[in-house]
Amino acid sequence: SAVISQKPSRDICQRGTSLTIQCQVDSQVTMMFWYRQQPGQSLTLIATANQGSEATYESGFVIDKFPISRPNLTFSTLTVSNMSPEDSSIYLCSGQGAGNTGELFFGEGSRLTVL
Amino acid sequence: AQSVTQLGSHVSVSEGALVLLRCNYSSSVPPYLFWYVQYPNQGLQLLLKYTSAATLVKGINGFEAEFKKSETSFHLTKPSAHMSDAAEYFCAVFSPTGNQFYFGTGTSLTVIP
């Protein structure tokens, strides 16, 4: 299975600030995604991180709020901008391998609390 | 569009009892199906997957799931629950045609000593 590393693992932030989450994957991953998991809920796809180009955002998520970069095949960042308490969530980086079974691998998640 | 339904957001079983977590999906084409487990303060870990081979799939930690096309179900079972099985479990569907992943709402499993 692919190895996905995320940092920070958790953070407490002040309202109005921004936080960047980093994700490093191994070479088995081709597609990279960012998910949000709000307390007690399932996963919601934020965007697909595209290598060398703008991310593809899902409905309800915009680049100004969640800028994403993927400068190379194995690294991506997600920034949560101008944070409010409603942004308190777990943010998960995930990767999909080149095989056709679609299996997703996940990082440990970044637990963000906004005060 | 695909959808995944997990019946029961919370399931409690006694230690040693059968674990049954239900998952139904809607799909117009044969999907790939997955169960993931999320332990407290951790990411998601793949338990098992169905990819159109054997309908009974065995996973890690003694879990297994059976794909039943006629019932559009992929229920997760374990014969004997262990305290360490307490976690959140997610059923997921992957659609190869659209390269989309769909997650259920999750089932929180509590194991009572």
Side-chain angles (χ1 to χ4, degrees), chain A residues 62-102:
Chain A
V62 296
I63 188 171
D64 290 344
K65 176 67 176 178
F66 298 101
I68 290 170
S69 76
R70 188 180 177 188
N72 57 54
L73 193 62
T74 61
F75 185 77
S76 178
T77 65
L78 166 73
T79 299
V80 186
S81 302
N82 188 25
M83 288 183 286
S84 67
E86 293 71 32
D87 294 319
S88 297
S89 284
I90 302 171
Y91 292 87
L92 292 155
C93 174
S94 72
Q96 189 175 52
N100 63 357
T101 59

mmCIF file of all heavy atoms in Angstrom, chain A residues 62-102:
data_model
loop_
_atom_site.group_PDB
_atom_site.id
_atom_site.type_symbol
_atom_site.label_atom_id
_atom_site.label_comp_id
_atom_site.label_asym_id
_atom_site.label_seq_id
_atom_site.Cartn_x
_atom_site.Cartn_y
_atom_site.Cartn_z
ATOM 1 N N VAL A 62 -14.049 26.682 -2.834
ATOM 2 C CA VAL A 62 -13.459 27.621 -3.778
ATOM 3 C C VAL A 62 -11.975 27.805 -3.506
ATOM 4 O O VAL A 62 -11.512 27.643 -2.368
ATOM 5 C CB VAL A 62 -14.182 28.985 -3.743
ATOM 6 C CG1 VAL A 62 -15.629 28.830 -4.199
ATOM 7 C CG2 VAL A 62 -14.117 29.597 -2.345
ATOM 8 N N ILE A 63 -11.286 28.197 -4.554
ATOM 9 C CA ILE A 63 -9.836 28.320 -4.480
ATOM 10 C C ILE A 63 -9.403 29.402 -3.508
ATOM 11 O O ILE A 63 -8.368 29.266 -2.851
ATOM 12 C CB ILE A 63 -9.248 28.565 -5.887
ATOM 13 C CG1 ILE A 63 -7.724 28.498 -5.871
ATOM 14 C CG2 ILE A 63 -9.728 29.885 -6.450
ATOM 15 C CD1 ILE A 63 -7.092 28.525 -7.242
ATOM 16 N N ASP A 64 -10.156 30.462 -3.382
ATOM 17 C CA ASP A 64 -9.759 31.546 -2.479
ATOM 18 C C ASP A 64 -9.744 31.092 -1.031
ATOM 19 O O ASP A 64 -8.942 31.574 -0.237
ATOM 20 C CB ASP A 64 -10.706 32.739 -2.627
ATOM 21 C CG ASP A 64 -10.523 33.441 -3.955
ATOM 22 O OD1 ASP A 64 -9.487 33.199 -4.613
ATOM 23 O OD2 ASP A 64 -11.402 34.235 -4.339
ATOM 24 N N LYS A 65 -10.624 30.174 -0.687
ATOM 25 C CA LYS A 65 -10.718 29.685 0.679
ATOM 26 C C LYS A 65 -9.770 28.499 0.918
ATOM 27 O O LYS A 65 -9.188 28.376 1.987
ATOM 28 C CB LYS A 65 -12.162 29.251 0.963
ATOM 29 C CG LYS A 65 -12.406 28.630 2.325
ATOM 30 C CD LYS A 65 -12.218 29.637 3.450
ATOM 31 C CE LYS A 65 -12.551 29.032 4.802
ATOM 32 N NZ LYS A 65 -12.322 29.981 5.915
ATOM 33 N N PHE A 66 -9.629 27.658 -0.094
ATOM 34 C CA PHE A 66 -8.829 26.442 0.040
ATOM 35 C C PHE A 66 -7.817 26.336 -1.106
ATOM 36 O O PHE A 66 -7.901 25.416 -1.926
ATOM 37 C CB PHE A 66 -9.726 25.202 0.055
ATOM 38 C CG PHE A 66 -10.684 25.127 1.189
ATOM 39 C CD1 PHE A 66 -12.019 25.470 1.008
ATOM 40 C CD2 PHE A 66 -10.262 24.727 2.447
ATOM 41 C CE1 PHE A 66 -12.919 25.411 2.060
ATOM 42 C CE2 PHE A 66 -11.162 24.658 3.511
ATOM 43 C CZ PHE A 66 -12.486 25.002 3.316
ATOM 44 N N PRO A 67 -6.863 27.226 -1.182
ATOM 45 C CA PRO A 67 -5.864 27.096 -2.242
ATOM 46 C C PRO A 67 -5.052 25.819 -2.086
ATOM 47 O O PRO A 67 -4.649 25.458 -0.984
ATOM 48 C CB PRO A 67 -5.001 28.354 -2.086
ATOM 49 C CG PRO A 67 -5.285 28.870 -0.723
ATOM 50 C CD PRO A 67 -6.669 28.426 -0.345
ATOM 51 N N ILE A 68 -4.840 25.153 -3.201
ATOM 52 C CA ILE A 68 -4.140 23.871 -3.230
ATOM 53 C C ILE A 68 -3.021 23.946 -4.245
ATOM 54 O O ILE A 68 -3.185 24.495 -5.332
ATOM 55 C CB ILE A 68 -5.114 22.732 -3.605
ATOM 56 C CG1 ILE A 68 -6.106 22.465 -2.473
ATOM 57 C CG2 ILE A 68 -4.360 21.451 -3.969
ATOM 58 C CD1 ILE A 68 -7.232 21.527 -2.851
ATOM 59 N N SER A 69 -1.894 23.396 -3.875
ATOM 60 C CA SER A 69 -0.797 23.284 -4.827
ATOM 61 C C SER A 69 -0.360 21.837 -4.934
ATOM 62 O O SER A 69 -0.529 21.050 -4.001
ATOM 63 C CB SER A 69 0.394 24.156 -4.397
ATOM 64 O OG SER A 69 1.097 23.535 -3.329
ATOM 65 N N ARG A 70 0.154 21.497 -6.108
ATOM 66 C CA ARG A 70 0.784 20.190 -6.296
ATOM 67 C C ARG A 70 1.929 20.389 -7.291
ATOM 68 O O ARG A 70 1.769 20.142 -8.484
ATOM 69 C CB ARG A 70 -0.211 19.142 -6.788
ATOM 70 C CG ARG A 70 0.397 17.732 -6.803
ATOM 71 C CD ARG A 70 -0.595 16.701 -7.292
ATOM 72 N NE ARG A 70 0.034 15.371 -7.373
ATOM 73 C CZ ARG A 70 -0.542 14.324 -7.916
ATOM 74 N NH1 ARG A 70 -1.745 14.415 -8.455
ATOM 75 N NH2 ARG A 70 0.092 13.170 -7.946
ATOM 76 N N PRO A 71 3.052 20.829 -6.797
ATOM 77 C CA PRO A 71 4.158 21.168 -7.704
ATOM 78 C C PRO A 71 4.807 19.960 -8.367
ATOM 79 O O PRO A 71 5.432 20.105 -9.422
ATOM 80 C CB PRO A 71 5.151 21.881 -6.783
ATOM 81 C CG PRO A 71 4.829 21.360 -5.408
ATOM 82 C CD PRO A 71 3.353 21.128 -5.398
ATOM 83 N N ASN A 72 4.669 18.809 -7.760
ATOM 84 C CA ASN A 72 5.216 17.586 -8.373
ATOM 85 C C ASN A 72 4.323 16.410 -8.040
ATOM 86 O O ASN A 72 3.297 16.561 -7.370
ATOM 87 C CB ASN A 72 6.658 17.347 -7.917
ATOM 88 C CG ASN A 72 6.778 17.256 -6.408
ATOM 89 O OD1 ASN A 72 6.090 16.461 -5.765
ATOM 90 N ND2 ASN A 72 7.653 18.072 -5.829
ATOM 91 N N LEU A 73 4.716 15.228 -8.482
ATOM 92 C CA LEU A 73 3.842 14.053 -8.382
ATOM 93 C C LEU A 73 3.592 13.628 -6.945
ATOM 94 O O LEU A 73 2.556 13.060 -6.620
ATOM 95 C CB LEU A 73 4.466 12.887 -9.168
ATOM 96 C CG LEU A 73 3.583 11.673 -9.435
ATOM 97 C CD1 LEU A 73 2.389 12.058 -10.290
ATOM 98 C CD2 LEU A 73 4.397 10.583 -10.127
ATOM 99 N N THR A 74 4.532 13.912 -6.041
ATOM 100 C CA THR A 74 4.456 13.322 -4.701
ATOM 101 C C THR A 74 4.203 14.309 -3.576
ATOM 102 O O THR A 74 4.255 13.935 -2.410
ATOM 103 C CB THR A 74 5.762 12.550 -4.399
ATOM 104 O OG1 THR A 74 6.858 13.475 -4.439
ATOM 105 C CG2 THR A 74 5.980 11.431 -5.412
ATOM 106 N N PHE A 75 3.909 15.552 -3.892
ATOM 107 C CA PHE A 75 3.741 16.552 -2.835
ATOM 108 C C PHE A 75 2.584 17.480 -3.148
ATOM 109 O O PHE A 75 2.399 17.921 -4.280
ATOM 110 C CB PHE A 75 5.034 17.364 -2.684
ATOM 111 C CG PHE A 75 5.004 18.340 -1.535
ATOM 112 C CD1 PHE A 75 5.168 17.913 -0.232
ATOM 113 C CD2 PHE A 75 4.808 19.703 -1.776
ATOM 114 C CE1 PHE A 75 5.140 18.813 0.821
ATOM 115 C CE2 PHE A 75 4.783 20.613 -0.725
ATOM 116 C CZ PHE A 75 4.944 20.168 0.569
ATOM 117 N N SER A 76 1.813 17.782 -2.100
ATOM 118 C CA SER A 76 0.704 18.719 -2.258
ATOM 119 C C SER A 76 0.498 19.490 -0.959
ATOM 120 O O SER A 76 0.848 19.005 0.126
ATOM 121 C CB SER A 76 -0.582 17.974 -2.619
ATOM 122 O OG SER A 76 -1.683 18.871 -2.740
ATOM 123 N N THR A 77 -0.042 20.679 -1.074
ATOM 124 C CA THR A 77 -0.408 21.452 0.109
ATOM 125 C C THR A 77 -1.841 21.938 -0.021
ATOM 126 O O THR A 77 -2.331 22.201 -1.128
ATOM 127 C CB THR A 77 0.500 22.674 0.316
ATOM 128 O OG1 THR A 77 0.322 23.604 -0.757
ATOM 129 C CG2 THR A 77 1.964 22.271 0.419
ATOM 130 N N LEU A 78 -2.485 22.030 1.109
ATOM 131 C CA LEU A 78 -3.821 22.621 1.221
ATOM 132 C C LEU A 78 -3.728 23.743 2.238
ATOM 133 O O LEU A 78 -3.233 23.534 3.351
ATOM 134 C CB LEU A 78 -4.836 21.580 1.686
ATOM 135 C CG LEU A 78 -6.189 22.124 2.162
ATOM 136 C CD1 LEU A 78 -7.022 22.615 0.985
ATOM 137 C CD2 LEU A 78 -6.958 21.051 2.940
ATOM 138 N N THR A 79 -4.183 24.917 1.874
ATOM 139 C CA THR A 79 -4.238 26.030 2.799
ATOM 140 C C THR A 79 -5.684 26.315 3.158
ATOM 141 O O THR A 79 -6.540 26.378 2.264
ATOM 142 C CB THR A 79 -3.582 27.290 2.194
ATOM 143 O OG1 THR A 79 -2.200 27.021 1.914
ATOM 144 C CG2 THR A 79 -3.673 28.465 3.160
ATOM 145 N N VAL A 80 -5.950 26.454 4.425
ATOM 146 C CA VAL A 80 -7.268 26.888 4.875
ATOM 147 C C VAL A 80 -7.120 28.368 5.229
ATOM 148 O O VAL A 80 -6.401 28.706 6.177
ATOM 149 C CB VAL A 80 -7.758 26.075 6.085
ATOM 150 C CG1 VAL A 80 -9.191 26.466 6.430
ATOM 151 C CG2 VAL A 80 -7.666 24.579 5.793
ATOM 152 N N SER A 81 -7.779 29.216 4.454
ATOM 153 C CA SER A 81 -7.556 30.661 4.551
ATOM 154 C C SER A 81 -8.617 31.338 5.399
ATOM 155 O O SER A 81 -9.776 30.895 5.464
ATOM 156 C CB SER A 81 -7.575 31.267 3.139
ATOM 157 O OG SER A 81 -6.607 30.674 2.319
ATOM 158 N N ASN A 82 -8.198 32.422 6.046
ATOM 159 C CA ASN A 82 -9.131 33.260 6.807
ATOM 160 C C ASN A 82 -10.079 32.385 7.636
ATOM 161 O O ASN A 82 -11.303 32.420 7.455
ATOM 162 C CB ASN A 82 -9.912 34.164 5.864
ATOM 163 C CG ASN A 82 -10.756 35.187 6.591
ATOM 164 O OD1 ASN A 82 -10.469 35.564 7.728
ATOM 165 N ND2 ASN A 82 -11.824 35.624 5.953
ATOM 166 N N MET A 83 -9.508 31.615 8.528
ATOM 167 C CA MET A 83 -10.252 30.575 9.219
ATOM 168 C C MET A 83 -11.296 31.116 10.192
ATOM 169 O O MET A 83 -11.131 32.177 10.809
ATOM 170 C CB MET A 83 -9.287 29.658 9.964
ATOM 171 C CG MET A 83 -8.483 28.764 9.045
ATOM 172 S SD MET A 83 -7.409 27.635 9.929
ATOM 173 C CE MET A 83 -6.122 28.766 10.464
ATOM 174 N N SER A 84 -12.360 30.362 10.305
ATOM 175 C CA SER A 84 -13.412 30.618 11.282
ATOM 176 C C SER A 84 -13.651 29.311 12.040
ATOM 177 O O SER A 84 -13.209 28.242 11.607
ATOM 178 C CB SER A 84 -14.691 31.076 10.589
ATOM 179 O OG SER A 84 -15.214 30.025 9.815
ATOM 180 N N PRO A 85 -14.360 29.382 13.166
ATOM 181 C CA PRO A 85 -14.616 28.140 13.918
ATOM 182 C C PRO A 85 -15.288 27.050 13.092
ATOM 183 O O PRO A 85 -15.088 25.856 13.367
ATOM 184 C CB PRO A 85 -15.524 28.611 15.060
ATOM 185 C CG PRO A 85 -15.098 30.019 15.297
ATOM 186 C CD PRO A 85 -14.790 30.570 13.924
ATOM 187 N N GLU A 86 -16.041 27.438 12.070
ATOM 188 C CA GLU A 86 -16.706 26.454 11.217
ATOM 189 C C GLU A 86 -15.716 25.626 10.406
ATOM 190 O O GLU A 86 -16.070 24.579 9.855
ATOM 191 C CB GLU A 86 -17.686 27.135 10.260
ATOM 192 C CG GLU A 86 -18.893 27.767 10.931
ATOM 193 C CD GLU A 86 -18.557 29.020 11.724
ATOM 194 O OE1 GLU A 86 -17.621 29.752 11.312
ATOM 195 O OE2 GLU A 86 -19.199 29.264 12.766
ATOM 196 N N ASP A 87 -14.476 26.079 10.312
ATOM 197 C CA ASP A 87 -13.450 25.333 9.598
ATOM 198 C C ASP A 87 -12.795 24.264 10.473
ATOM 199 O O ASP A 87 -11.932 23.511 9.994
ATOM 200 C CB ASP A 87 -12.365 26.286 9.079
ATOM 201 C CG ASP A 87 -12.891 27.245 8.022
ATOM 202 O OD1 ASP A 87 -13.679 26.798 7.163
ATOM 203 O OD2 ASP A 87 -12.522 28.440 8.061
ATOM 204 N N SER A 88 -13.168 24.184 11.721
ATOM 205 C CA SER A 88 -12.631 23.153 12.607
ATOM 206 C C SER A 88 -13.048 21.784 12.085
ATOM 207 O O SER A 88 -14.241 21.459 12.039
ATOM 208 C CB SER A 88 -13.159 23.347 14.030
ATOM 209 O OG SER A 88 -12.721 24.591 14.551
ATOM 210 N N SER A 89 -12.083 21.018 11.670
ATOM 211 C CA SER A 89 -12.351 19.729 11.026
ATOM 212 C C SER A 89 -11.069 18.910 11.008
ATOM 213 O O SER A 89 -10.003 19.393 11.368
ATOM 214 C CB SER A 89 -12.788 19.926 9.570
ATOM 215 O OG SER A 89 -14.100 20.376 9.461
ATOM 216 N N ILE A 90 -11.218 17.701 10.519
ATOM 217 C CA ILE A 90 -10.057 16.911 10.137
ATOM 218 C C ILE A 90 -9.903 17.057 8.627
ATOM 219 O O ILE A 90 -10.877 16.891 7.884
ATOM 220 C CB ILE A 90 -10.230 15.427 10.495
ATOM 221 C CG1 ILE A 90 -10.469 15.255 11.993
ATOM 222 C CG2 ILE A 90 -8.999 14.628 10.059
ATOM 223 C CD1 ILE A 90 -10.855 13.838 12.385
ATOM 224 N N TYR A 91 -8.713 17.376 8.197
ATOM 225 C CA TYR A 91 -8.430 17.484 6.771
ATOM 226 C C TYR A 91 -7.536 16.297 6.393
ATOM 227 O O TYR A 91 -6.494 16.070 7.000
ATOM 228 C CB TYR A 91 -7.763 18.818 6.449
ATOM 229 C CG TYR A 91 -8.722 19.969 6.655
ATOM 230 C CD1 TYR A 91 -8.859 20.559 7.916
ATOM 231 C CD2 TYR A 91 -9.523 20.426 5.618
ATOM 232 C CE1 TYR A 91 -9.767 21.589 8.121
ATOM 233 C CE2 TYR A 91 -10.431 21.462 5.827
ATOM 234 C CZ TYR A 91 -10.550 22.033 7.073
ATOM 235 O OH TYR A 91 -11.460 23.043 7.282
ATOM 236 N N LEU A 92 -7.999 15.553 5.399
ATOM 237 C CA LEU A 92 -7.324 14.316 5.027
ATOM 238 C C LEU A 92 -6.787 14.410 3.610
ATOM 239 O O LEU A 92 -7.522 14.751 2.670
ATOM 240 C CB LEU A 92 -8.299 13.135 5.113
ATOM 241 C CG LEU A 92 -8.773 12.760 6.518
ATOM 242 C CD1 LEU A 92 -10.110 12.072 6.458
ATOM 243 C CD2 LEU A 92 -7.748 11.861 7.174
ATOM 244 N N CYS A 93 -5.538 14.071 3.481
ATOM 245 C CA CYS A 93 -4.930 13.927 2.171
ATOM 246 C C CYS A 93 -5.079 12.466 1.754
ATOM 247 O O CYS A 93 -4.912 11.553 2.577
ATOM 248 C CB CYS A 93 -3.463 14.310 2.244
ATOM 249 S SG CYS A 93 -2.524 14.022 0.739
ATOM 250 N N SER A 94 -5.386 12.233 0.504
ATOM 251 C CA SER A 94 -5.491 10.853 0.044
ATOM 252 C C SER A 94 -4.879 10.708 -1.332
ATOM 253 O O SER A 94 -4.785 11.677 -2.092
ATOM 254 C CB SER A 94 -6.939 10.383 0.034
ATOM 255 O OG SER A 94 -7.658 10.986 -1.008
ATOM 256 N N GLY A 95 -4.504 9.496 -1.625
ATOM 257 C CA GLY A 95 -3.904 9.216 -2.916
ATOM 258 C C GLY A 95 -4.525 7.974 -3.532
ATOM 259 O O GLY A 95 -4.996 7.087 -2.830
ATOM 260 N N GLN A 96 -4.516 7.950 -4.839
ATOM 261 C CA GLN A 96 -5.053 6.815 -5.583
ATOM 262 C C GLN A 96 -3.952 6.277 -6.475
ATOM 263 O O GLN A 96 -3.260 7.039 -7.159
ATOM 264 C CB GLN A 96 -6.245 7.262 -6.421
ATOM 265 C CG GLN A 96 -7.031 6.140 -7.071
ATOM 266 C CD GLN A 96 -8.259 6.695 -7.779
ATOM 267 O OE1 GLN A 96 -8.156 7.610 -8.583
ATOM 268 N NE2 GLN A 96 -9.415 6.149 -7.462
ATOM 269 N N GLY A 97 -3.814 4.960 -6.467
ATOM 270 C CA GLY A 97 -2.753 4.364 -7.243
ATOM 271 C C GLY A 97 -3.091 4.263 -8.717
ATOM 272 O O GLY A 97 -4.193 4.599 -9.145
ATOM 273 N N ALA A 98 -2.144 3.768 -9.475
ATOM 274 C CA ALA A 98 -2.306 3.675 -10.922
ATOM 275 C C ALA A 98 -3.162 2.499 -11.346
ATOM 276 O O ALA A 98 -3.626 2.453 -12.473
ATOM 277 C CB ALA A 98 -0.930 3.565 -11.581
ATOM 278 N N GLY A 99 -3.409 1.554 -10.462
ATOM 279 C CA GLY A 99 -4.234 0.402 -10.803
ATOM 280 C C GLY A 99 -5.677 0.785 -11.018
ATOM 281 O O GLY A 99 -6.119 1.853 -10.603
ATOM 282 N N ASN A 100 -6.452 -0.079 -11.644
ATOM 283 C CA ASN A 100 -7.815 0.293 -11.996
ATOM 284 C C ASN A 100 -8.849 -0.065 -10.932
ATOM 285 O O ASN A 100 -10.041 -0.005 -11.199
ATOM 286 C CB ASN A 100 -8.209 -0.372 -13.318
ATOM 287 C CG ASN A 100 -8.203 -1.892 -13.209
ATOM 288 O OD1 ASN A 100 -7.858 -2.440 -12.167
ATOM 289 N ND2 ASN A 100 -8.580 -2.560 -14.267
ATOM 290 N N THR A 101 -8.419 -0.439 -9.733
ATOM 291 C CA THR A 101 -9.383 -0.760 -8.693
ATOM 292 C C THR A 101 -9.783 0.453 -7.872
ATOM 293 O O THR A 101 -10.663 0.353 -7.034
ATOM 294 C CB THR A 101 -8.833 -1.844 -7.746
ATOM 295 O OG1 THR A 101 -7.627 -1.376 -7.147
ATOM 296 C CG2 THR A 101 -8.568 -3.132 -8.507
ATOM 297 N N GLY A 102 -9.138 1.574 -8.093
ATOM 298 C CA GLY A 102 -9.580 2.818 -7.483
ATOM 299 C C GLY A 102 -9.308 2.980 -6.010
ATOM 300 O O GLY A 102 -9.772 3.929 -5.398
#
